[in-house]
Amino acid sequence: MNLEDIAEKAGVSRSTVSRVINNERYVSEKVRQRVLQVIAEENFRPNPAARTLVTRRSGIIGTAIPQTTNVFFGDNSYYPMLLQGVAEAVNQRDYALLLYLAEEQEERENFAERVVRQRHADGLILSSVIEGDPLFTYLLKHDRRFVIVETPPHHEERVSYVTVDNVAAAEMAVNHLIAIGRRRIAKITGQINIMDAVERLEGYQNALRAHGLPVDPNLIVYGRFHRDAGYEGMKQLLPHQPDAVFAGGDTIALGVLDALTEAGLCVPEDVALVGFDDLDVAERAQLTTINHSVQYVGSRAATLLMDLIEGRLEHPQHIVLPTRLVIRRSTVGS
Amino acid sequence: MNLEDIAEKAGVSRSTVSRVINNERYVSEKVRQRVLQVIAEENFRPNPAARTLVTRRSGIIGTAIPQTTNVFFGDNSYYPMLLQGVAEAVNQRDYALLLYLAEEQEERENFAERVVRQRHADGLILSSVIEGDPLFTYLLKHDRRFVIVETPPHHEERVSYVTVDNVAAAEMAVNHLIAIGRRRIAKITGQINIMDAVERLEGYQNALRAHGLPVDPNLIVYGRFHRDAGYEGMKQLLPHQPDAVFAGGDTIALGVLDALTEAGLCVPEDVALVGFDDLDVAERAQLTTINHSVQYVGSRAATLLMDLIEGRLEHPQHIVLPTRLVIRRSTVGS
DNA sequence: GCGATCTCTGAGAGCGTTCCCAGACTTGTG
DNA sequence: CACAAGTCTGGGAACGCTCTCAGAGATCGC
């Protein structure tokens, strides 16, 4: 069943059917109705491949998640939330969402190759880009449309991105800890090759310096965005007796909580704790954190990408979304 | 850049280039190498739309998740795990994965319409199908390829599915509770229009009857696969003083834990607790539960779907995967 | 009242592949 | 050595759309 068949049944030409389907002007109301009726009767849907072939547009947005299994699910609802946001925006404009998920232990090279080989998508949303990321490098070099959902490596300004002001947010978090009287404030970072982690560390250091506090290397642990890393990191910090911890992400903070509980320390009396992201779990754990709606980042990124694809906006675009400090019991008690 | 261009540069015909790309026989080694080299130089990738148009195969698998936001992320890692499994299988055979995510509060009708309208995918994986599901009904009627990742409504045998033996697993769980001496075993179900929930309830009842225990309607609460439902359900059950609860899913069990903690009751001394699914959180919460690798269900479903698409298997196929009781502290103490 | 403009419709070309067929050349067989 | 079978290559048609163009008819302005 194709346009020609519908045309015949409706007694018009293929061109007219195409016009009706694409909702173009210059079709008389009578003809439009007749065609619509035949389409409904035959339950006809135009072949997207044929359409794509000529328009050079598939209406598909790809989202690449280069992280392995244990990061994608588990406690970490970051990616699901991001995806939900992307899906929302994409649905609204009747695009489709293609998901590229890395295998456990898959090399970035291999992942990049896989994503690039299939040319289904009109554009890509990239997450967790690291320094020297092959996918990032390739896309940049070959001038394909894409949007990064964090600050790109080296603040590369030639690419479009949607991010939050991590530096300012981290400053806000640490200022809060200082305001409640903490002085030995420790930091556990996410993967330090991801810009989010770098910027949050930067903000932490800024805030300390601004208050004339020392930046003690013993109080900084380089970790990963993972609960286990928080747990291990905290164990490492304990001998140095911090009175507060600023975790690079909520999942890290959860691990910190595990370690503190195990050590018999009270939050916030002995150690105050601040996370980052305000994931679903943060509220449940009564965690003070930085809120920045991951979902909204996803939907803004998708909207931006579609605008770039459709030529409504010029490349590149930079969007920095606001953050908010959410104060809960992990810093102010009950 | 298309086949013709590559052909010209390599001094051969379009057909030959096509043969090389599709790895067909009857191409001399010399020519094959030359063509491959030109392809590499030009960084050429064949246009998937053109290919799809003629082969009538896109190499795209769709996965439909009709649940709203709060179920997709949050504590519930069910869908991310399922997706990871699907992605794994799909990657292996160089298919792509299209994700259909319902909007918050989106009607099933509307969701079905959206999924069906875009004809990108060669086949679909359906989750959380309910009785009278419009998407399910449509696909069945129009003979589209799809696989359900649970038992279909009414045990509809004309469709392909991958599921676990929920009934047997539930029996196993309840038998365990009986074996440790519990007699007032309560049940909180998931949405009762989802077959998983129905079957787990059925197994619960079977086990009680098999041991001559009464099925007390006061001990059965009809809920949803959600932590809040577990919390509310347990509060409802408390006056009836159960000595054990069999939750329809791990997320429900977490809510039950919340309510028990709040009521000052001990697990498992006062109330023993069994979940279902063995999600990531189950181990952390030391929850006795039924393990059945959601991820594996996902990858089996995807593999099955691809086999159906490629005509390697006849439609319909029914796969029932084994389950395992994982005993943790929520039933046997420490 | 008549050219200009707007509305409506259809035909043809083209998008970039795969598939089928024909033909040339090579190898095998009796 | 003739003929069959196998190997390799190229050209044309087809997949189902959109887009451009041309032309017919209706409407408008002066």
Side-chain angles (χ1 to χ4, degrees):
Chain A
M1 184 63 52
N2 59 25
L3 280 195
E4 207 87 43
D5 299 328
I6 299 294
E8 194 182 342
K9 280 203 168 39
V12 295
S13 75
R14 175 172 36 88
S15 303
T16 300
V17 178
S18 175
R19 285 189 193 97
V20 171
I21 287 175
N22 293 294
N23 214 12
E24 282 171 28
R25 342 166 27 199
Y26 298 148
V27 180
S28 70
E29 201 44 36
K30 213 174 62 187
V31 169
R32 166 164 271 132
Q33 288 308 327
R34 193 163 69 239
V35 171
L36 283 176
Q37 195 191 330
V38 175
I39 288 175
E41 276 168 13
E42 300 293 326
N43 197 34
F44 172 77
R45 331 264 171 186
N47 182 319
R51 181 178 264 176
T52 301
L53 184 55
V54 33
T55 60
R56 307 167 161 281
R57 203 147 285 174
S58 64
I60 297 178
I61 294 291
T63 301
I65 299 182
Q67 299 279 14
T68 54
T69 315
N70 50 16
V71 179
F72 181 57
F73 56 62
D75 281 310
N76 196 336
S77 58
Y78 177 82
Y79 289 114
M81 284 172 78
L82 186 73
L83 279 180
Q84 184 78 35
V86 171
E88 207 176 290
V90 151
N91 292 342
Q92 218 140 55
R93 285 164 64 167
D94 206 29
Y95 274 63
L97 168 58
L98 208 55
L99 182 61
Y100 293 103
L101 230 46
E103 302 278 310
E104 204 154 356
Q105 306 296 348
E106 183 175 16
E107 303 285 332
R108 292 237 172 197
E109 287 286 355
N110 193 50
F111 179 67
E113 161 62 19
R114 257 181 46 220
V115 172
V116 164
R117 189 175 41 217
Q118 301 180 341
R119 293 180 4 188
H120 296 296
D122 293 335
L124 290 175
I125 292 177
L126 259 52
S127 66
S128 302
V129 172
I130 60 171
E131 171 132 25
D133 200 312
L135 183 54
F136 175 71
T137 312
Y138 179 93
L139 294 174
L140 191 59
K141 182 172 160 207
H142 289 86
D143 201 30
R144 301 270 195 89
R145 295 258 170 268
F146 68 103
V147 171
I148 299 190
V149 289
E150 68 233 1
T151 313
H154 305 296
H155 274 95
E156 176 61 75
E157 294 294 311
R158 288 175 301 161
V159 308
S160 293
Y161 59 81
V162 176
T163 188
V164 297
D165 191 341
N166 282 298
V167 178
E171 287 173 11
M172 190 157 55
V174 176
N175 285 342
H176 169 60
L177 288 169
I178 294 171
I180 60 171
R182 307 302 161 125
R183 290 298 175 268
R184 295 189 54 74
I185 301 170
K187 165 79 189 167
I188 302 177
T189 74
Q191 290 89 316
I192 207 68
N193 51 9
I194 295 181
M195 283 301 287
D196 280 348
V198 174
E199 295 182 327
R200 291 170 196 181
L201 176 60
E202 194 180 324
Y204 159 82
Q205 295 168 325
N206 289 351
L208 292 183
R209 292 201 188 98
H211 288 81
L213 291 172
V215 174
D216 181 352
N218 286 321
L219 292 181
I220 299 177
V221 173
Y222 294 87
R224 296 172 300 125
F225 288 110
H226 196 278
R227 187 167 185 153
D228 296 346
Y231 177 79
E232 297 299 335
M234 192 61 225
K235 287 198 137 184
Q236 208 171 314
L237 287 170
L238 280 173
H240 302 287
Q241 302 191 302
D243 57 10
V245 176
F246 173 39
D250 287 343
T251 48
I252 295 176
L254 291 178
V256 171
L257 275 179
D258 293 341
L260 289 173
T261 307
E262 196 179 295
L265 292 170
C266 288
V267 174
E269 292 77 4
D270 301 319
V271 178
L273 179 59
V274 178
F276 206 114
D277 293 337
D278 201 13
L279 301 184
D280 215 58
V281 286
E283 186 177 357
R284 194 155 280 137
Q286 280 301 312
L287 186 66
T288 293
T289 189
I290 296 289
N291 173 292
H292 64 149
S293 182
V294 178
Q295 214 171 326
Y296 188 59
V297 170
S299 79
R300 277 304 294 273
T303 305
L304 170 54
L305 182 54
M306 293 184 289
D307 284 341
L308 291 171
I309 289 168
E310 292 169 13
R312 299 186 189 200
L313 286 176
E314 284 306 306
H315 190 77
Q317 293 280 323
H318 305 144
I319 298 177
V320 179
L321 297 174
T323 60
R324 192 163 50 84
L325 179 68
V326 180
I327 298 174
R328 300 207 182 91
R329 294 204 193 135
S330 73
T331 56
V332 298
S334 48
Chain B
M1 185 63 53
N2 59 26
L3 281 194
E4 208 88 45
D5 299 327
I6 299 294
E8 194 182 343
K9 280 204 168 37
V12 295
S13 76
R14 174 174 35 88
S15 302
T16 299
V17 178
S18 176
R19 285 190 194 97
V20 171
I21 287 176
N22 293 294
N23 214 13
E24 283 171 29
R25 343 169 22 199
Y26 298 148
V27 181
S28 71
E29 199 46 35
K30 213 173 62 186
V31 170
R32 165 165 272 130
Q33 289 309 325
R34 194 164 68 241
V35 171
L36 283 176
Q37 194 190 331
V38 175
I39 288 175
E41 276 169 13
E42 301 292 326
N43 197 34
F44 172 76
R45 330 263 171 186
N47 182 320
R51 182 176 264 176
T52 300
L53 184 55
V54 32
T55 60
R56 306 167 163 282
R57 204 148 285 173
S58 64
I60 298 178
I61 295 290
T63 300
I65 299 182
Q67 298 280 15
T68 54
T69 314
N70 50 17
V71 179
F72 181 57
F73 56 63
D75 283 309
N76 197 335
S77 58
Y78 177 81
Y79 289 114
M81 284 173 76
L82 186 73
L83 280 179
Q84 184 79 34
V86 171
E88 209 175 287
V90 151
N91 291 343
Q92 219 141 54
R93 286 163 66 168
D94 207 30
Y95 274 63
L97 168 58
L98 206 57
L99 181 61
Y100 293 103
L101 229 47
E103 301 279 309
E104 203 154 357
Q105 306 296 345
E106 182 175 18
E107 303 285 333
R108 291 238 173 198
E109 287 286 356
N110 193 50
F111 180 66
E113 160 63 19
R114 257 181 45 221
V115 172
V116 164
R117 189 175 41 216
Q118 300 181 340
R119 293 180 3 189
H120 295 296
D122 293 335
L124 291 175
I125 291 177
L126 259 51
S127 66
S128 302
V129 172
I130 59 169
E131 170 133 24
D133 200 312
L135 183 54
F136 175 71
T137 311
Y138 180 93
L139 293 174
L140 192 59
K141 182 173 160 203
H142 289 85
D143 201 31
R144 299 272 194 86
R145 296 254 171 269
F146 68 102
V147 171
I148 300 190
V149 289
E150 66 233 3
T151 313
H154 305 296
H155 274 97
E156 176 61 76
E157 294 294 309
R158 287 176 300 163
V159 308
S160 293
Y161 58 82
V162 176
T163 188
V164 297
D165 191 342
N166 283 298
V167 178
E171 287 172 9
M172 190 156 55
V174 176
N175 286 342
H176 169 61
L177 288 170
I178 294 172
I180 60 170
R182 308 303 162 126
R183 290 298 174 269
R184 294 189 55 74
I185 302 170
K187 166 78 189 165
I188 303 177
T189 74
Q191 290 89 316
I192 207 65
N193 50 10
I194 294 181
M195 283 301 287
D196 281 347
V198 175
E199 295 182 328
R200 290 169 197 181
L201 177 59
E202 194 181 325
Y204 160 81
Q205 294 168 326
N206 290 352
L208 291 183
R209 292 203 188 97
H211 287 82
L213 293 172
V215 175
D216 181 352
N218 285 321
L219 292 180
I220 299 177
V221 174
Y222 294 87
R224 297 172 301 124
F225 288 110
H226 195 278
R227 187 167 186 152
D228 295 346
Y231 178 78
E232 297 299 336
M234 191 62 223
K235 288 199 136 184
Q236 209 172 314
L237 286 170
L238 280 174
H240 302 288
Q241 301 190 303
D243 57 10
V245 176
F246 173 40
D250 287 343
T251 47
I252 296 177
L254 291 178
V256 171
L257 275 179
D258 293 341
L260 288 173
T261 307
E262 196 178 295
L265 292 171
C266 287
V267 174
E269 292 78 4
D270 300 319
V271 178
L273 179 59
V274 178
F276 206 114
D277 293 338
D278 202 12
L279 300 184
D280 215 59
V281 286
E283 186 177 356
R284 196 154 277 136
Q286 280 300 313
L287 187 66
T288 293
T289 189
I290 297 289
N291 174 292
H292 65 154
S293 182
V294 177
Q295 215 172 324
Y296 188 60
V297 170
S299 80
R300 278 303 296 269
T303 305
L304 171 54
L305 182 54
M306 292 184 290
D307 284 342
L308 291 171
I309 289 168
E310 292 171 12
R312 299 186 189 200
L313 286 176
E314 286 305 306
H315 189 76
Q317 294 279 326
H318 306 145
I319 297 178
V320 179
L321 297 174
T323 60
R324 192 163 49 84
L325 180 68
V326 180
I327 297 174
R328 300 206 183 91
R329 295 206 192 134
S330 74
T331 56
V332 297
S334 50

